[in-house]
Amino acid sequence: MTSPAEVAVERRGGSVVARLSGEVDMTNASYLREQLLDSMPNDALVLVIDISACRYLDSAAIEVLFDLSRRLARRRQELRLVMPPDSPLRRVIELTEVGSAAPVHDSLDSALSQ
Amino acid sequence: MLGRRANRHREEPAVLASRQATVAELALRALEGMPLGELRDAAATAVACELGVEQVAVLELTHDRRGLLARAGVGLPDGVLGGVLPVEGERTDPSSLQKDLGSASSCQVSIDTRGRLSGWIEAHSRAARDFTADDEAFLRAVASVLGAAAERARQDDVMSDSEARFRELADTTPALMWMTDAEGDITFVNEGWRRFTGGTSDVGVTFATSAHPDDREEALRIWEEASARREEFRCEYRLRHAGSGDYRWVLEVGVPRFAGGEFVGYVGTATDIHERRAMEEALRESEASFRDLADTAPAMMWTTDGDGLVTFVNEGWLRFTGTTLEEELGASWQLGVHPEDADATLSTWDRAREERRSWEREYRLLHHSGEYRWIVDRGVPRYEGGRYAGYVGTAIDIHERKTMEARLLEVYQREHKIAETLQRSLLPERLPQIEGVELAARYLPGARGAAIGGDWYDVLERPDGRVALVVGDVVGHGLRAAATMGQLRNAFRAYGLVESSPSEVVARINRLVMSGVEDVMATVLYLVLDRETGELSFSAAGHPPPLVLAPDGPRFLEGGRSVPIGASDPAVFREASAVLPPGSSLLLYTDGLVERRDEPLDKRLDKLASVAGGAEGDLDGLCERVIDAVLGDGDPGDDVALLAVRPLPAVADRISLTLPAEPASLASLRRRLARFLHATGASDLEQYEITLTISEAAGNAIEHAYGPGDATYDVEVSFTRGELVATVRDHGTWRERRGEHRGRGLNIIEKLMDDVRVTPGEEGTEVTMRRRLAAVEAA
């Protein structure tokens, strides 16, 4: 059994917003990466991944975030993350310095307004 | 080395589900009449596939029981298939095949036909392995389908049971016969009936136009009453005889018929008893006129004196027995009664005479052909000048009718057996083991002959850590209901995993059912329980309410009610919520437990609540108690499914797990950790971080576990004096950081824990992590 995660993708002007929910670990991380890359058309500038509804991310998931950021950069596209300040995931995101690869925003509005 | 642990683990639910589906598929094929040879091939292939073995053999004892014929197989070497192996005595060892095949491990179960050993089915593995209890149970289920199918095939040689065959038979008998469908509409009348009534092929109206208007209502009432109970019935009424234009008295007997254990209608016979009635009336006038009439009548007739000795039998009787009048006088008729019927026939005859009551009996009487034929014999006391003078009787040959009944019974019993096998294959043999809840369940098949039911129960653990429970009841009986039950059960498993809201799960399944071709209706109670908090929500689709057994007494959970599944589309499905008080149990059941013809539902519910009683005691005992007390001595008319659940208080000092070394185990590890950590009082942040570090260490352990299949790793977590200590142990060799992501994993472990120690050893590597819980310390 792979862990259950869902991703809902929506186009917002020049951005694509992907809302991630559920749990991401080594069983479904690479599948998720393919899904996210597929949902990113060439004419979009920014991929915003909203992890507010995510209950669990492990190192494999974080690795996917780094990898996505690199791949998007090659396509001249940008990766941004949304995570509320009180999220239990916050400290792990900070420790692993995900912010160096993708800026972390407190809200979706903030991520879209820049 | 690692493989040795294999049989300690039960098979995964998905594997069991696949095996159940395989057995169900085989049983359905058997029922559809797949030729035995093809069925054996299909069974062998299925076993090879499900058990993952290279070689399978289906062996049949030869007629003299001294050899074994290899009837079907997979991966057997040339010359084995179709060949005969010698049997030494009544052997019980795995067959001599094991040597021929060079297999390292074998699993073998017997195939029984008519309760007698008829062969074996064997799975052979080249690699050494331990066959689990589940493997054997699966093989046994396949064997029982093959046994039932072999039995059926054998009977098919003797007789064909198709409806066409019945019609052909029926048309060649002189009796009047008819058949109805389950709704009571006449679907067939035989040639004899059509000749009698002069009816056309429009069979639906035949009774209505031909029965005497004065008798019609009474006959219909008898039929409808019996039909509601699926019982045999008999009634006498007048039927219009087309040839003469007169109404003649007939005795009608209707027998319910079944296919696949399911009620499909009635088959009936009408016997012309007009002479009998005429005789009885004639006798009231004078004995002389009776004898005149009697000898010209085709029926069999007799009279006795006051002691019950025969004083007269008519021509019709003598034509049947092939004897003379002198031979039949006195008590000698008794010699012609079939030995198996003699005792009951004669004792009822004696008793009737003592009480001067009328007497009626069906028994076999020796026919002049040398065979016994069934007759129905009836005698009434006669009086001369007000004084008792003996009995007068008439007998009618009902052999065709009885033979037909016996055939129907045989067909029914055979179908019933296959349907039962299917039913068993679809119900979970045991409940899954779910951390933190106690579970118990019962299934009782209905006692009513045809009641192979469609009741089921199931339990599954949702990804969010809640436990989903379901009990359901498919409307109808028989094979179709059992198969539908299997499909619904799987649908609940699938939707129960992805949908979190009970009403949405039920609504989705309703949509699924309504989009299907077949008419399916089912009542269902679907409930999702949070074992930590006792919070639950449920949806009751046409189903009686769940019962909570709380420390302060029992109560039913109201609300969440809606129509059954399959009743309408769109339909509104509601859900209700409640909180289970600590220490409570929950009882889910199907209406076979509480529905009875003779008592109103609310009374039965009250009784259930009072016998279920308090929250104490183990759940197995609770199930027993409820079944004993609610059903009493009587068997359930309908089948009953019962499911009891109780969240166990979380233990917050220690948890110890052994998990298969595969990534899929991580989700289950997280569930168990969540429960443990919740009980320690850790904050959400701490819970996530500790779960993450232990999972990262487990991820490492999984990567280290080399070798074939069954490797495992151990996780131990303890919590004492505010400090949490977690140990993850693998059974491989420690590898250095590999790739950026593993490096990141170790980085996370080191940063989130207060202290981390890695101890490599001969047997494997142990990682010990410590962390003080702030929230708990402050408290």
Side-chain angles (χ1 to χ4, degrees):
Chain A
M1 188 175 95
T2 55
S3 297
E6 278 180 36
V7 57
V9 178
E10 176 191 355
R11 182 76 192 247
R12 290 273 197 101
S15 304
V16 169
V17 176
R19 284 193 178 81
L20 197 55
S21 57
E23 306 175 11
V24 187
D25 65 12
M26 64 198 276
T27 62
N28 58 2
S30 49
Y31 175 74
L32 184 72
R33 180 182 60 202
E34 302 314 316
Q35 293 293 302
L36 288 170
L37 281 174
D38 283 352
S39 63
M40 196 59 191
N42 279 330
D43 64 335
L45 299 173
V46 181
L47 171 63
V48 180
I49 304 180
D50 183 348
I51 57 170
S52 308
C54 240
R55 285 194 307 271
Y56 184 85
L57 293 180
D58 76 352
S59 60
I62 286 165
E63 181 59 29
V64 162
L65 295 179
F66 276 99
D67 189 46
L68 271 176
S69 159
R70 269 196 304 272
R71 285 168 192 247
L72 291 175
R74 266 183 245 134
R75 288 156 60 168
R76 302 273 180 276
Q77 293 172 321
E78 195 191 330
L79 177 68
R80 294 174 194 164
L81 297 180
V82 175
M83 179 178 59
D86 58 350
S87 166
L89 277 57
R90 182 138 211 128
R91 192 157 143 224
V92 169
I93 295 287
E94 283 169 8
L95 276 177
T96 49
E97 294 168 353
V98 175
S100 67
V104 182
H105 295 264
D106 288 351
S107 69
L108 184 59
D109 285 346
S110 144
L112 288 173
S113 67
Q114 287 190 355
Chain B
M1 289 295 282
L2 296 167
R4 210 180 290 154
R5 287 169 184 268
N7 69 346
R8 233 177 53 191
H9 296 286
R10 288 296 198 169
E11 299 294 342
E12 289 293 316
V15 172
L16 291 178
S18 156
R19 289 180 180 180
Q20 281 173 358
T22 301
V23 174
E25 177 76 27
L26 283 173
L28 275 175
R29 290 281 162 77
L31 202 73
E32 284 163 8
M34 179 188 251
L36 192 54
E38 284 176 40
L39 191 72
R40 285 195 188 110
D41 288 340
T45 311
V47 167
C49 201
E50 291 291 344
L51 295 184
V53 292
E54 303 86 2
Q55 292 160 319
V56 177
V58 180
L59 306 169
E60 190 182 62
L61 274 172
T62 52
H63 199 63
D64 60 7
R65 303 178 75 78
R66 296 164 86 171
L68 271 178
L69 193 58
R71 282 293 199 179
V74 171
L76 301 182
D78 286 349
V80 171
L81 201 63
V84 178
L85 308 159
V87 180
E88 291 130 28
E90 287 278 317
R91 108 219 143 93
T92 48
D93 312 335
S95 77
S96 46
L97 262 186
Q98 190 165 347
K99 232 179 292 161
D100 296 350
L101 299 178
S103 58
S105 303
S106 311
C107 183
Q108 176 201 49
V109 302
S110 62
I111 300 172
D112 296 326
T113 305
R114 290 170 179 243
R116 189 165 180 227
L117 176 71
S118 66
W120 306 83
I121 181 164
E122 304 180 341
H124 294 273
S125 166
R126 289 218 178 92
R129 65 180 268 184
D130 289 327
F131 286 93
T132 63
D134 287 326
D135 293 340
E136 206 183 315
F138 167 68
L139 211 52
R140 236 190 333 265
V142 173
S144 73
V145 172
L146 287 178
E151 202 165 314
R152 175 197 178 113
R154 206 147 96 175
Q155 288 171 351
D156 278 346
D157 292 342
V158 187
M159 128 200 140
S160 161
D161 65 295
S162 70
E163 214 163 280
R165 172 88 178 125
F166 169 81
R167 288 170 184 221
E168 193 187 308
L169 269 169
D171 268 345
T172 57
T173 69
L176 280 58
M177 289 192 165
W178 48 262
M179 218 191 272
T180 71
D181 59 20
E183 278 72 47
D185 290 328
I186 294 174
T187 54
F188 167 76
V189 293
N190 76 338
E191 190 53 40
W193 181 288
R194 282 198 295 274
R195 249 197 327 268
F196 190 99
T197 59
T200 59
S201 55
D202 186 8
V203 296
V205 295
T206 181
F207 173 81
T209 54
S210 302
H212 194 289
D214 292 350
D215 302 340
R216 218 173 279 163
E217 206 172 305
E218 174 71 2
L220 271 177
R221 187 187 60 78
I222 292 173
W223 180 356
E224 276 162 11
E225 273 182 14
S227 182
R229 292 191 299 269
R230 313 280 191 249
E231 278 172 0
E232 184 178 318
F233 69 88
R234 52 177 59 214
C235 64
E236 291 180 11
Y237 66 91
R238 282 163 291 178
L239 190 66
R240 212 175 84 90
H241 184 248
S244 61
D246 297 333
Y247 283 98
R248 293 179 68 81
W249 283 99
V250 294
L251 166 67
E252 186 155 272
V253 179
V255 182
R257 62 196 181 93
F258 301 89
E262 189 172 355
F263 173 74
V264 292
Y266 272 89
V267 58
T269 52
T271 310
D272 187 331
I273 53 163
H274 201 72
E275 274 87 16
R276 169 203 279 180
R277 305 255 327 192
M279 286 311 119
E280 285 169 13
E281 273 161 31
L283 197 65
R284 282 183 209 128
E285 293 165 20
S286 81
E287 184 155 350
S289 66
F290 166 74
R291 291 201 179 193
D292 286 349
L293 256 172
D295 266 346
T296 56
M300 299 156 68
M301 298 190 175
W302 49 265
T303 57
T304 71
D305 61 18
D307 297 324
L309 296 172
V310 172
T311 52
F312 166 79
V313 295
N314 76 338
E315 278 297 321
W317 183 284
L318 296 175
R319 266 198 305 278
F320 182 97
T321 57
T323 52
T324 63
L325 179 60
E326 287 68 35
E327 285 173 298
E328 289 295 315
L329 295 181
S332 53
W333 67 277
Q334 299 176 0
L335 298 174
V337 179
H338 192 286
E340 283 175 23
D341 303 338
D343 279 354
T345 303
L346 299 180
S347 65
T348 54
W349 164 237
D350 290 342
R351 210 170 321 127
R353 274 189 300 111
E354 279 165 28
E355 296 165 15
R356 307 266 161 92
R357 275 188 299 103
S358 64
W359 169 76
E360 184 172 317
R361 190 83 202 164
E362 289 179 6
Y363 62 90
R364 282 163 288 181
L365 186 70
L366 191 60
H367 188 250
H368 67 80
S369 65
E371 280 179 287
Y372 285 97
R373 288 179 69 83
W374 281 98
I375 62 167
V376 55
D377 200 352
R378 176 157 84 165
V380 288
R382 63 196 176 97
Y383 297 87
E384 281 169 11
R387 204 170 52 83
Y388 167 68
Y391 272 68
V392 58
T394 52
I396 294 165
D397 185 331
I398 53 162
H399 198 68
E400 274 80 19
R401 190 195 93 207
K402 289 297 273 193
T403 315
M404 213 56 79
E405 282 171 17
R407 281 170 198 227
L408 283 166
L409 193 69
E410 260 181 88
V411 170
Y412 157 64
Q413 280 170 343
R414 183 177 47 181
E415 303 292 322
H416 183 87
K417 177 153 186 185
I418 295 179
E420 202 176 67
T421 304
L422 177 64
Q423 167 94 350
R424 295 267 167 226
S425 75
L426 291 171
L427 268 181
E429 278 185 33
R430 69 188 128 63
L431 293 166
Q433 286 197 354
I434 295 179
E435 181 89 3
V437 286
E438 185 187 351
L439 290 166
R442 287 289 183 285
Y443 173 77
L444 296 184
R448 209 187 293 144
I452 296 287
D455 285 15
W456 87 97
Y457 57 79
D458 207 359
V459 184
L460 66 113
E461 196 173 5
R462 285 184 36 82
D464 62 9
R466 293 187 298 163
V467 179
L469 305 143
V470 59
V471 293
D473 179 359
V474 175
V475 173
H477 293 292
L479 199 66
R480 192 138 43 100
T484 304
M485 178 273 276
Q487 287 162 357
L488 281 181
R489 182 165 167 258
N490 283 340
F492 269 96
R493 297 205 133 237
Y495 286 128
L497 281 177
V498 294
E499 280 296 341
S500 60
S501 139
S503 60
E504 188 57 30
V505 169
V506 175
R508 283 227 202 180
I509 288 172
N510 187 57
R511 242 166 281 146
L512 181 77
V513 163
M514 296 303 288
S515 65
V517 245
E518 280 185 73
D519 273 349
V520 169
M521 213 195 297
T523 74
V524 166
L525 180 81
Y526 178 78
L527 185 146
V528 178
L529 171 69
D530 185 324
R531 60 200 134 163
E532 315 301 340
T533 60
E535 288 168 315
L536 60 88
S537 51
F538 65 95
S539 187
H543 206 89
L547 177 63
V548 170
L549 304 172
D552 62 352
R555 68 190 168 87
F556 288 97
L557 294 179
E558 295 307 330
R561 295 181 150 239
S562 36
V563 293
I565 282 175
S568 71
D569 183 34
V572 177
F573 291 98
R574 297 180 193 86
E575 75 180 54
S577 302
V579 178
L580 207 55
S584 306
S585 308
L586 194 60
L587 192 66
L588 281 60
Y589 51 90
T590 54
D591 62 9
L593 188 66
V594 290
E595 219 157 63
R596 281 214 167 169
R597 208 181 292 278
D598 51 358
E599 237 177 322
L601 182 64
D602 52 351
K603 273 218 169 122
R604 305 281 302 170
L605 288 177
D606 287 349
K607 185 166 182 186
L608 170 62
S610 73
V611 298
E616 307 292 306
D618 74 308
L619 295 184
D620 264 318
L622 169 70
C623 288
E624 289 298 323
R625 198 165 71 234
V626 163
I627 283 171
D628 285 353
V630 178
L631 296 178
D633 297 332
D635 290 316
D638 204 350
D639 51 346
V640 174
L642 195 63
L643 177 62
V645 61
R646 172 160 54 205
L648 295 171
V651 190
D653 62 343
R654 176 167 291 276
I655 177 176
S656 174
L657 304 167
T658 297
L659 295 164
E662 51 197 54
S665 71
L666 291 174
S668 130
L669 171 65
R670 290 201 294 272
R671 296 299 150 257
R672 290 163 191 225
L673 287 175
R675 184 173 155 74
F676 175 82
L677 293 171
H678 183 85
T680 63
S683 70
D684 282 356
L685 177 71
E686 286 168 329
Q687 285 189 41
Y688 167 66
E689 292 184 355
I690 292 167
T691 304
L692 177 62
T693 49
I694 295 175
S695 302
E696 293 291 343
N700 264 333
I702 288 167
E703 294 206 338
H704 294 158
Y706 299 113
D710 307 311
T712 58
Y713 64 98
D714 306 319
V715 177
E716 273 163 34
V717 189
S718 63
F719 180 64
T720 35
R721 288 189 293 278
E723 191 185 46
L724 186 120
V725 180
T727 305
V728 177
R729 197 177 303 112
D730 65 52
H731 308 286
T733 33
W734 178 254
R735 285 199 290 182
E736 283 308 312
R737 298 177 173 195
R738 192 173 57 123
E740 224 172 324
H741 133 234
R742 267 295 142 237
R744 231 186 283 285
L746 286 175
N747 190 23
I748 289 175
I749 296 176
E750 279 158 11
K751 285 198 173 132
L752 292 181
M753 286 292 189
D754 301 338
D755 179 48
V756 179
R757 255 163 237 200
V758 179
T759 324
E762 291 274 305
E763 302 282 302
T765 303
E766 194 176 279
V767 182
T768 306
M769 300 163 285
R770 291 165 187 277
R771 177 158 166 178
R772 204 145 263 291
L773 297 191
V776 180
E777 241 173 354

